[in-house]
């Protein structure tokens, strides 16, 4: 009976040890999360600036076409941007 109890305890201990995440894989720290959030905010700002520049370029191109190339087709504005769905980070 004692051997069976020792084998059961050893199996439980090995299972608990085997379920531990490897060192360095414990998760994301708050500093890393804040850094990623700042990068996402910077990329969002850059995307908005690029969209504004593209709209301005399209407007200038259409004005050029209307002024110098009468009867030519003008460029259509790009479709309106939509925000991607938010993904929750665990």
């Amino acid at each position: 009976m004692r051997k069976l109890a020792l084998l059961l305890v050893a199996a439980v201990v090995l299972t608990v040890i085997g379920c531990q995440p490897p060192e360095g894989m414990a998760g994301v720290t708050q500093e890393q999360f804040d850094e990623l959030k700042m990068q996402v905010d910077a990329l969002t700002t850059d995307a908005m600036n690029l969209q504004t520049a593209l709209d301005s370029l399209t407007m200038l191109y259409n004005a050029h076409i209307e002024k110098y190339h009468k009867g030519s087709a003008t460029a259509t504005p790009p479709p309106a941007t939509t925000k991607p769905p938010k993904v929750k980070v665990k």
Side-chain angles (χ1 to χ4, degrees), residues 21-36:
E23 189 174 325
M25 296 288 291
V28 178
T29 63
Q30 186 64 35
E31 292 84 17
Q32 290 171 331
F33 182 74
D34 291 340
E35 183 180 333
L36 286 174

Side-chain angles (χ1 to χ4, degrees), residues 51-64 74-78:
Q51 183 65 41
T52 303
L54 182 63
D55 291 341
S56 174
L57 183 63
T58 303
M59 186 175 62
L60 291 173
Y61 175 77
N62 285 338
H64 169 79
T74 58
T76 58

Side-chain angles (χ1 to χ4, degrees), residues 6-22:
L6 285 175
L7 287 174
L8 184 61
V9 168
V12 168
V13 168
L14 289 175
T15 303
V16 169
I17 291 172
C19 292
Q20 299 298 318

Side-chain angles (χ1 to χ4, degrees), residues 32-52:
Q32 290 171 331
F33 182 74
D34 291 340
E35 183 180 333
L36 286 174
K37 187 175 180 183
M38 287 183 349
Q39 288 177 355
V40 167
D41 290 341
L43 287 173
T44 303
T45 303
D46 289 345
M48 285 190 280
N49 290 341
L50 287 173
Q51 183 65 41
T52 303

Side-chain angles (χ1 to χ4, degrees), residues 60-71 74:
L60 291 173
Y61 175 77
N62 285 338
H64 169 79
I65 293 295
E66 288 295 323
K67 185 174 183 180
Y68 295 106
H69 307 280
K70 305 256 188 236
T74 58

